[in-house]
Amino acid sequence: MELPIKPPDRVVPEYSLTGDLLSYRRCAMQYRYYNGSALPPSRPVQMWYGEFIHGVLEGAFGMWRANPGRYPFPWPSTPIPDTGAPAPPPDGLAPNDLRVIGWPIEQALAYEGKRARSRRARVSAYRRAEAAVNMLGPHLFPLIADAEQKVIGTRPLPSPTPGTMLRSERYALHGVIDVLTNVELASVGEGNIIRDAVRAACPDLQGMFEVIVDYKGSHRPPLAEDYWQLGEWQVQTYAWLRQRQQLGYPVAAGILIYVNELAPGSDDIRRMRSAIQNRQTDVAPTRGDPDYYALNTWTAGAAPRLSAAFRYRRAIRVIPVTQQSIDNATQQFDQIVAEIEGRVRDEEIRGSIRNTWPPTCDSLETCIACDFRHFCPRPAGTRQQLATAEAAGDDDDV
Ligand code: SF4
């Protein structure tokens, strides 16, 4: 006789900060389909470019730390050949050549079924990885205390609507902090861009404290976009998780690094110009600035002649952390989890995914890359726009 397996007394659904909460906010329907039939979903949406950039920065930092003083910046990046499928770098390259660092990351991602969408996307990813390592490395690497730090904590789960019974009273929230820095501003040399950015955003800071750094494989979002707010909530929630570990100094700030801004492609420049024209960004060149002129005279296909100082300003976003800001952000994420849990419950009752998880994405770019666009009842843009963008080879960069 076969005995049934005893079910667990309690279900504590687990949520990943980026893989679940940010993905759900991108699109509820896409999130549900990407996460298969396992509830609660926990597998992150696959994003080759973001994972590649993270991998290269982590690999470069590991090599820099293991070989003090041996590989001064800038590090080389041997160009990718104009034709042919992705192949190993040629023999004889220096160990710190970004092609050498990037290749095993590409292989590991390919093993998981993740590949660059096109050759152009691959070239663009290496170009940005090179900018990230050579522009950030000299400033950021000396400050890093820990990389890829796992954090987890449990929180009470509010009811999505009054009286709704959920399967659990708590949920577990986990994430991976890209970089933790121990910063004593007074001890960091003048001209360190991380120090200067933290000091400008948090002028009253004294003593030792931690700064959480998160790399974003994207452009700096416009202020009105969901991603602007979500980025802030993310670092505040990391700060909450980190403080629960009680291992380090108090977290004083989070830094989001929008890697595309260090080496912007054509689409990034178009978005930047549009955000500046519509007064939807906090970092814009002033009239008469060389960067103002460079942006306004840029033509599609040409390399943008933006200064390094301006690109740093666009790439680095410092977010001060206080108890009040942490409380606000974690409550916002509680509400997102409650909404997901409410849909998990509704799906069980209705037996229908499509009637429970609506398409909520308004980004044409996301919908073009979405595997479910062909049967999605309401993708962003018109069918004609989707078809045209698809035929044109989607985004020009990644
Ligand atoms: S096509 Fe767009 S709206 Fe539809 S499921 Fe995909 S991401 Fe969501």
Side-chain angles (χ1 to χ4, degrees):
M1 175 184 155
E2 207 169 292
L3 291 174
I5 297 169
K6 183 177 181 293
D9 292 337
R10 284 167 194 273
V11 176
V12 179
E14 273 195 30
Y15 284 89
S16 147
L17 205 48
T18 50
D20 289 313
L21 304 193
L22 301 191
S23 298
Y24 174 76
R25 282 296 287 247
R26 183 181 301 123
C27 177
M29 180 175 155
Q30 185 196 58
Y31 167 75
R32 177 62 183 90
Y33 278 120
Y34 269 132
N35 283 281
S37 57
L39 294 173
S42 61
R43 198 177 57 203
V45 172
Q46 295 182 355
M47 296 179 76
W48 179 87
Y49 169 61
E51 292 185 30
F52 175 76
I53 290 287
H54 276 79
V56 171
L57 279 162
E58 194 190 345
F61 170 65
M63 176 167 287
W64 178 87
R65 183 164 58 178
N67 300 277
R70 184 161 174 200
Y71 300 117
F73 295 105
W75 289 12
S77 183
T78 299
I80 288 172
D82 286 339
T83 54
D91 291 338
L93 299 186
N96 65 331
D97 190 301
L98 294 170
R99 284 284 303 284
V100 176
I101 294 172
W103 178 245
I105 295 159
E106 284 197 82
Q107 284 183 302
L109 290 172
Y111 187 73
E112 295 172 17
K114 301 169 190 172
R115 291 180 178 79
R117 290 214 291 260
S118 63
R119 184 188 164 277
R120 195 162 51 173
R122 187 168 171 251
V123 169
S124 173
Y126 270 94
R127 183 171 58 83
R128 286 171 177 155
E130 180 193 354
V133 169
N134 286 327
M135 291 181 75
L136 294 174
H139 300 275
L140 181 61
F141 288 179
L143 301 178
I144 294 179
D146 259 312
E148 300 289 307
Q149 181 73 223
K150 290 197 173 96
V151 280
I152 187 163
T154 63
R155 296 186 54 79
L157 188 54
S159 181
T161 48
T164 304
M165 288 291 292
L166 297 179
R167 57 183 167 168
S168 173
E169 292 173 353
R170 299 190 73 79
Y171 73 98
L173 185 60
H174 60 89
V176 179
I177 296 175
D178 288 336
V179 163
L180 274 168
T181 64
N182 288 345
V183 179
E184 189 177 17
L185 290 180
S187 70
V188 182
E190 286 288 335
N192 182 299
I193 54 145
I194 303 294
R195 169 196 184 275
D196 294 349
V198 173
R199 190 183 281 282
C202 316
D204 299 327
L205 281 182
Q206 300 287 341
M208 286 292 287
F209 50 84
E210 283 188 350
V211 173
I212 288 169
V213 180
D214 195 68
Y215 306 127
K216 295 283 181 208
S218 70
H219 61 283
R220 190 181 189 94
L223 302 176
E225 250 183 34
D226 220 19
Y227 286 114
W228 182 259
Q229 188 68 74
L230 286 169
E232 167 163 2
W233 293 344
Q234 185 191 351
V235 292
Q236 302 284 357
T237 306
Y238 278 149
W240 177 78
L241 289 164
R242 178 65 181 162
Q243 284 181 351
R244 291 178 64 80
Q245 291 183 316
Q246 298 184 331
L247 293 175
Y249 298 99
V251 178
I255 299 181
L256 294 176
I257 297 179
Y258 299 108
V259 169
N260 287 24
E261 302 286 345
L262 296 171
S266 297
D267 281 356
D268 297 314
I269 296 288
R270 281 189 208 102
R271 286 190 200 101
M272 194 191 304
R273 291 210 304 200
S274 160
I276 290 170
Q277 274 162 11
N278 296 320
R279 299 178 190 276
Q280 271 301 319
T281 182
D282 58 333
V283 178
T286 46
R287 197 178 278 270
D289 225 18
D291 292 308
Y292 182 89
Y293 181 77
L295 260 183
N296 285 294
T297 55
W298 172 82
T299 49
R305 297 176 177 218
L306 297 171
S307 67
F310 181 66
R311 285 181 284 144
Y312 276 130
R313 281 178 55 219
R314 294 278 312 167
I316 296 174
R317 176 183 172 197
V318 181
I319 299 166
V321 170
T322 63
Q323 194 53 52
Q324 196 184 359
S325 63
I326 288 177
D327 290 346
N328 175 50
T330 47
Q331 281 164 19
Q332 301 292 342
F333 274 138
D334 290 345
Q335 291 301 329
I336 297 175
V337 173
E339 199 177 304
I340 298 174
E341 283 292 313
R343 292 197 195 281
V344 169
R345 179 180 165 277
D346 290 350
E347 183 185 327
E348 271 175 6
I349 295 168
R350 294 177 186 154
S352 163
I353 292 177
R354 291 187 67 158
N355 291 336
T356 309
W357 303 82
T360 51
C361 181
D362 289 323
S363 155
L364 185 62
E365 227 174 272
T366 304
C367 293
I368 290 165
C370 176
D371 294 329
F372 318 113
R373 63 191 180 281
H374 297 300
F375 64 85
C376 173
R378 190 213 55 87
T382 61
R383 295 279 171 197
Q384 182 62 39
Q385 281 175 314
L386 280 171
T388 308
E390 221 176 325
D394 55 46
D395 185 287
D396 74 338
D397 297 315
V398 289

PDB file of all heavy atoms in Angstrom, residues 27 29-30 359-361 366-367 370 372-373 376 378-380, ligand 1:
ATOM      1  N   CYS A  27       5.449  42.479 -16.001  1.00  0.00           N
ATOM      2  CA  CYS A  27       4.211  42.016 -16.636  1.00  0.00           C
ATOM      3  C   CYS A  27       3.711  40.788 -15.872  1.00  0.00           C
ATOM      4  O   CYS A  27       4.425  39.784 -15.764  1.00  0.00           O
ATOM      5  CB  CYS A  27       4.433  41.642 -18.097  1.00  0.00           C
ATOM      6  SG  CYS A  27       2.938  40.979 -18.872  1.00  0.00           S
ATOM      7  N   MET A  29       1.317  38.624 -16.650  1.00  0.00           N
ATOM      8  CA  MET A  29       1.093  37.444 -17.481  1.00  0.00           C
ATOM      9  C   MET A  29       2.428  36.798 -17.887  1.00  0.00           C
ATOM     10  O   MET A  29       2.604  35.576 -17.805  1.00  0.00           O
ATOM     11  CB  MET A  29       0.306  37.848 -18.723  1.00  0.00           C
ATOM     12  CG  MET A  29       0.008  36.694 -19.663  1.00  0.00           C
ATOM     13  SD  MET A  29      -1.043  37.267 -21.029  1.00  0.00           S
ATOM     14  CE  MET A  29      -0.620  36.057 -22.258  1.00  0.00           C
ATOM     15  N   GLN A  30       3.368  37.628 -18.302  1.00  0.00           N
ATOM     16  CA  GLN A  30       4.668  37.087 -18.701  1.00  0.00           C
ATOM     17  C   GLN A  30       5.326  36.384 -17.517  1.00  0.00           C
ATOM     18  O   GLN A  30       5.898  35.307 -17.651  1.00  0.00           O
ATOM     19  CB  GLN A  30       5.571  38.214 -19.200  1.00  0.00           C
ATOM     20  CG  GLN A  30       6.894  37.713 -19.739  1.00  0.00           C
ATOM     21  CD  GLN A  30       7.923  38.839 -19.869  1.00  0.00           C
ATOM     22  OE1 GLN A  30       8.249  39.502 -18.883  1.00  0.00           O
ATOM     23  NE2 GLN A  30       8.432  39.049 -21.055  1.00  0.00           N
ATOM     24  N   PRO A 359      -2.079  40.750 -18.924  1.00  0.00           N
ATOM     25  CA  PRO A 359      -0.884  41.357 -19.529  1.00  0.00           C
ATOM     26  C   PRO A 359      -0.802  42.804 -19.052  1.00  0.00           C
ATOM     27  O   PRO A 359      -1.702  43.582 -19.321  1.00  0.00           O
ATOM     28  CB  PRO A 359      -1.159  41.270 -21.027  1.00  0.00           C
ATOM     29  CG  PRO A 359      -2.645  41.163 -21.149  1.00  0.00           C
ATOM     30  CD  PRO A 359      -3.179  40.580 -19.875  1.00  0.00           C
ATOM     31  N   THR A 360       0.249  43.154 -18.360  1.00  0.00           N
ATOM     32  CA  THR A 360       0.311  44.493 -17.770  1.00  0.00           C
ATOM     33  C   THR A 360       1.502  45.305 -18.258  1.00  0.00           C
ATOM     34  O   THR A 360       1.816  46.330 -17.696  1.00  0.00           O
ATOM     35  CB  THR A 360       0.381  44.386 -16.231  1.00  0.00           C
ATOM     36  OG1 THR A 360       1.424  43.468 -15.886  1.00  0.00           O
ATOM     37  CG2 THR A 360      -0.926  43.928 -15.636  1.00  0.00           C
ATOM     38  N   CYS A 361       2.174  44.818 -19.303  1.00  0.00           N
ATOM     39  CA  CYS A 361       3.380  45.510 -19.758  1.00  0.00           C
ATOM     40  C   CYS A 361       3.022  46.623 -20.754  1.00  0.00           C
ATOM     41  O   CYS A 361       2.209  46.409 -21.652  1.00  0.00           O
ATOM     42  CB  CYS A 361       4.311  44.500 -20.428  1.00  0.00           C
ATOM     43  SG  CYS A 361       5.818  45.262 -21.000  1.00  0.00           S
ATOM     44  N   THR A 366       9.930  45.314 -24.275  1.00  0.00           N
ATOM     45  CA  THR A 366       9.747  44.072 -23.511  1.00  0.00           C
ATOM     46  C   THR A 366       8.841  43.122 -24.274  1.00  0.00           C
ATOM     47  O   THR A 366       9.087  41.911 -24.336  1.00  0.00           O
ATOM     48  CB  THR A 366       9.147  44.388 -22.121  1.00  0.00           C
ATOM     49  OG1 THR A 366       9.994  45.329 -21.479  1.00  0.00           O
ATOM     50  CG2 THR A 366       9.024  43.154 -21.262  1.00  0.00           C
ATOM     51  N   CYS A 367       7.787  43.663 -24.859  1.00  0.00           N
ATOM     52  CA  CYS A 367       6.837  42.798 -25.566  1.00  0.00           C
ATOM     53  C   CYS A 367       7.459  42.184 -26.822  1.00  0.00           C
ATOM     54  O   CYS A 367       7.160  41.047 -27.181  1.00  0.00           O
ATOM     55  CB  CYS A 367       5.566  43.581 -25.901  1.00  0.00           C
ATOM     56  SG  CYS A 367       4.630  44.030 -24.424  1.00  0.00           S
ATOM     57  N   CYS A 370       9.226  39.204 -25.787  1.00  0.00           N
ATOM     58  CA  CYS A 370       8.436  38.268 -24.978  1.00  0.00           C
ATOM     59  C   CYS A 370       8.050  37.037 -25.803  1.00  0.00           C
ATOM     60  O   CYS A 370       7.524  37.157 -26.909  1.00  0.00           O
ATOM     61  CB  CYS A 370       7.184  38.974 -24.461  1.00  0.00           C
ATOM     62  SG  CYS A 370       6.087  37.884 -23.561  1.00  0.00           S
ATOM     63  N   PHE A 372       5.600  35.182 -25.395  1.00  0.00           N
ATOM     64  CA  PHE A 372       4.152  34.938 -25.394  1.00  0.00           C
ATOM     65  C   PHE A 372       3.387  35.980 -26.192  1.00  0.00           C
ATOM     66  O   PHE A 372       2.173  36.060 -26.111  1.00  0.00           O
ATOM     67  CB  PHE A 372       3.665  34.887 -23.935  1.00  0.00           C
ATOM     68  CG  PHE A 372       4.604  34.114 -23.051  1.00  0.00           C
ATOM     69  CD1 PHE A 372       5.328  34.750 -22.043  1.00  0.00           C
ATOM     70  CD2 PHE A 372       4.817  32.762 -23.268  1.00  0.00           C
ATOM     71  CE1 PHE A 372       6.230  34.036 -21.266  1.00  0.00           C
ATOM     72  CE2 PHE A 372       5.726  32.052 -22.498  1.00  0.00           C
ATOM     73  CZ  PHE A 372       6.437  32.687 -21.494  1.00  0.00           C
ATOM     74  N   ARG A 373       4.123  36.813 -26.941  1.00  0.00           N
ATOM     75  CA  ARG A 373       3.474  37.932 -27.625  1.00  0.00           C
ATOM     76  C   ARG A 373       2.476  37.472 -28.682  1.00  0.00           C
ATOM     77  O   ARG A 373       1.512  38.180 -28.970  1.00  0.00           O
ATOM     78  CB  ARG A 373       4.523  38.846 -28.268  1.00  0.00           C
ATOM     79  CG  ARG A 373       5.358  38.205 -29.346  1.00  0.00           C
ATOM     80  CD  ARG A 373       6.541  39.075 -29.739  1.00  0.00           C
ATOM     81  NE  ARG A 373       7.354  38.461 -30.776  1.00  0.00           N
ATOM     82  CZ  ARG A 373       8.253  37.495 -30.564  1.00  0.00           C
ATOM     83  NH1 ARG A 373       8.447  37.035 -29.346  1.00  0.00           N
ATOM     84  NH2 ARG A 373       8.955  36.984 -31.566  1.00  0.00           N
ATOM     85  N   CYS A 376      -0.652  36.737 -26.770  1.00  0.00           N
ATOM     86  CA  CYS A 376      -0.996  37.711 -25.732  1.00  0.00           C
ATOM     87  C   CYS A 376      -2.186  38.553 -26.208  1.00  0.00           C
ATOM     88  O   CYS A 376      -2.171  39.059 -27.320  1.00  0.00           O
ATOM     89  CB  CYS A 376       0.206  38.603 -25.452  1.00  0.00           C
ATOM     90  SG  CYS A 376      -0.174  39.961 -24.331  1.00  0.00           S
ATOM     91  N   ARG A 378      -3.068  41.519 -25.241  1.00  0.00           N
ATOM     92  CA  ARG A 378      -2.861  42.975 -25.254  1.00  0.00           C
ATOM     93  C   ARG A 378      -1.375  43.329 -25.114  1.00  0.00           C
ATOM     94  O   ARG A 378      -0.957  43.867 -24.099  1.00  0.00           O
ATOM     95  CB  ARG A 378      -3.641  43.624 -24.099  1.00  0.00           C
ATOM     96  CG  ARG A 378      -3.685  45.139 -24.182  1.00  0.00           C
ATOM     97  CD  ARG A 378      -3.700  45.775 -22.799  1.00  0.00           C
ATOM     98  NE  ARG A 378      -2.613  45.390 -21.935  1.00  0.00           N
ATOM     99  CZ  ARG A 378      -1.404  46.009 -21.917  1.00  0.00           C
ATOM    100  NH1 ARG A 378      -1.147  46.992 -22.708  1.00  0.00           N
ATOM    101  NH2 ARG A 378      -0.462  45.601 -21.073  1.00  0.00           N
ATOM    102  N   PRO A 379      -0.582  42.998 -26.109  1.00  0.00           N
ATOM    103  CA  PRO A 379       0.817  43.430 -26.020  1.00  0.00           C
ATOM    104  C   PRO A 379       0.910  44.943 -26.163  1.00  0.00           C
ATOM    105  O   PRO A 379      -0.023  45.568 -26.669  1.00  0.00           O
ATOM    106  CB  PRO A 379       1.485  42.719 -27.203  1.00  0.00           C
ATOM    107  CG  PRO A 379       0.378  42.455 -28.161  1.00  0.00           C
ATOM    108  CD  PRO A 379      -0.889  42.320 -27.373  1.00  0.00           C
ATOM    109  N   ALA A 380       2.035  45.509 -25.720  1.00  0.00           N
ATOM    110  CA  ALA A 380       2.227  46.958 -25.899  1.00  0.00           C
ATOM    111  C   ALA A 380       2.356  47.258 -27.391  1.00  0.00           C
ATOM    112  O   ALA A 380       2.881  46.446 -28.147  1.00  0.00           O
ATOM    113  CB  ALA A 380       3.485  47.400 -25.164  1.00  0.00           C
TER     114      ALA A 380
HETATM  115  S1  SF4 B   1       3.601  40.458 -24.935  1.00  0.00           S
HETATM  116 FE1  SF4 B   1       3.931  42.078 -23.403  1.00  0.00          FE
HETATM  117  S2  SF4 B   1       1.960  42.328 -22.368  1.00  0.00           S
HETATM  118 FE2  SF4 B   1       1.924  40.360 -23.436  1.00  0.00          FE
HETATM  119  S3  SF4 B   1       2.620  38.840 -21.944  1.00  0.00           S
HETATM  120 FE3  SF4 B   1       4.412  39.491 -23.088  1.00  0.00          FE
HETATM  121  S4  SF4 B   1       5.288  41.165 -21.892  1.00  0.00           S
HETATM  122 FE4  SF4 B   1       3.191  40.873 -21.170  1.00  0.00          FE
END
